[in-house]
Amino acid sequence: MADLTLRDVKKSYGNLNILHGIDLDIKSGEFIVFVGPSGCGKSTLLRSIAGLEEITGGELYIAGEKVNDVPPSKRGIAMVFQSYALYPHMTVYDNMAFGMKIAGESKAEIDKRVRAAAEILQLTKYLDRLPKAMSGGQRQRVAIGRAIVRNPKVFLFDEPLSNLDAALRVATRIEIAKLKESMPNTTMIYVTHDQVEAMTLADRIVVLKDGRIEQVGSPMELYKHP
Ligand code: ADP
Ligand code: ADP
C-alpha cells in the first residue's frame, strides 16, 4: 500500500527544462495512466518516480516518505519496460526466481511467490520453458511476473505493450487489467500513448503536454466530450 505525492516536480537537462513543476496526488491502490504526445515527458516523469532520473526541483513522496535521495532499489517500486530483457538460458521459473535467489530468499518463499505470480499471469504451464519457445506477449508476461515477485508497493509500466503486435497487445492488455484486479492494494502507474489502453485500464488519466499537466480525470470525465 502506498500513496504518492508529487510537489512541484521539475526535471531539466542542463538548461533544457523537461518537467515544469508537476503537482499530483496518487491514492494507494490507484491505477494512474500518463498519456500525451511523444516527447511530452511521460517517460521522464515515470523514471523520476522510479529514481532512475534525479529530479532537479520539487519533492516526491512514496507512502509519506520523501524519496528524493532514496535509491531506486529502496523505493518499493518495480518497473516493467517496453522491451523485456529475459535471461535466454534460464527457464521462465528461473527468470522469475533470479532476483529472489540473489537476495538470499528461501527456496520455499521463492517457490510460493513464483507460483502465485505465474497463476495470476496464466504462466503456470510454461514455467519450464525457455524464453525463445514463447511468444512476445508471453515473454512480456514473464517480465511482469519478475516484477510481481518483488512484492512492490508501486508498480510502474513504461509502454509495456508497444513492442507487441496488435493481437498480442489486446491479449496482454487484458492480462494487465486482471493483474490490476488481483493486486488491488498495489498502486500502479502506466505510461502509454494509446487511448484505448488509457480508457480501459485507468482509474484516472493524467494528460501531459510539454512537461505540464494539462488535465486529470477519470476516463469518463476525459473522453465524454470529443
Ligand atoms: P515521452 O515519454 O512523453 O515521449 P520523454 O520523457 O521520453 O517523453 O522525453 C521528454 C523530453 O525530454 C524529450 O524532448 C526528450 O528528447 C528529452 N530527453 C529525454 N531524455 C533526455 C536526456 N537524457 N537528455 C536530454 N534530453 C532528454
Ligand atoms: P534484488 O532482487 O536482489 O534486488 P535483482 O537482480 O532482481 O536483485 O535486481 C538488481 C537491482 O535492480 C535491484 O537493486 C533492484 O532494485 C533493481 N531491479 C530489478 N528488477 C527491477 C524491476 N522490475 N523494477 C525495478 N527495479 C528493479
Side-chain angles (χ1 to χ4, degrees), residues 50 52 71-81 87 95-105 113 143-150 152 154-156:
L52 301 174
S73 59
K74 300 273 163 24
R75 291 190 182 194
I77 55 109
M79 190 152 167
V80 175
F81 299 90
Y87 302 109
N95 263 284
M96 289 204 261
F98 186 69
M100 284 185 284
K101 274 191 192 155
I102 300 290
E105 295 280 0
R113 287 204 231 160
I144 294 171
R146 256 194 336 200
I148 293 177
V149 297
R150 308 178 66 80
V154 182
F155 218 123
L156 307 176

Side-chain angles (χ1 to χ4, degrees), residues 1-2 28-30 152-153 180-187:
M1 294 281 268
S28 227
E30 246 191 321
K153 289 183 288 191
K180 168 185 166 177
E181 299 306 320
S182 42
M183 300 173 75
N185 296 328
T186 306
T187 311

Side-chain angles (χ1 to χ4, degrees), residues 11-14 16-19 35-47 53 158-159 191 193 208:
K11 174 69 187 173
S12 54
Y13 294 105
L16 185 65
N17 297 321
I18 306 296
L19 301 174
V35 297
S38 183
C40 69
K42 303 183 292 295
S43 180
T44 302
L45 186 54
L46 197 75
R47 294 169 57 83
E53 302 283 352
D158 196 357
E159 304 212 26
V191 165
H193 52 253
L208 292 169

Side-chain angles (χ1 to χ4, degrees), residues 20-99:
H20 300 270
I22 303 286
D23 286 299
L24 187 64
D25 289 297
I26 299 175
K27 290 193 276 293
S28 227
E30 246 191 321
F31 197 114
I32 295 284
V33 178
F34 293 160
V35 297
S38 183
C40 69
K42 303 183 292 295
S43 180
T44 302
L45 186 54
L46 197 75
R47 294 169 57 83
S48 298
I49 293 169
L52 301 174
E53 302 283 352
E54 205 176 328
I55 58 178
T56 45
E59 288 109 45
L60 180 63
Y61 298 86
I62 300 179
E65 185 198 357
K66 185 171 170 188
V67 296
N68 288 46
D69 298 321
V70 174
S73 59
K74 300 273 163 24
R75 291 190 182 194
I77 55 109
M79 190 152 167
V80 175
F81 299 90
Q82 221 172 85
S83 44
Y84 33 81
L86 302 180
Y87 302 109
H89 57 287
M90 286 185 201
T91 63
V92 167
Y93 186 103
D94 288 335
N95 263 284
M96 289 204 261
F98 186 69

Side-chain angles (χ1 to χ4, degrees), residues 64 82 124 196 201:
Q82 221 172 85
T124 304
V196 176
L201 292 170

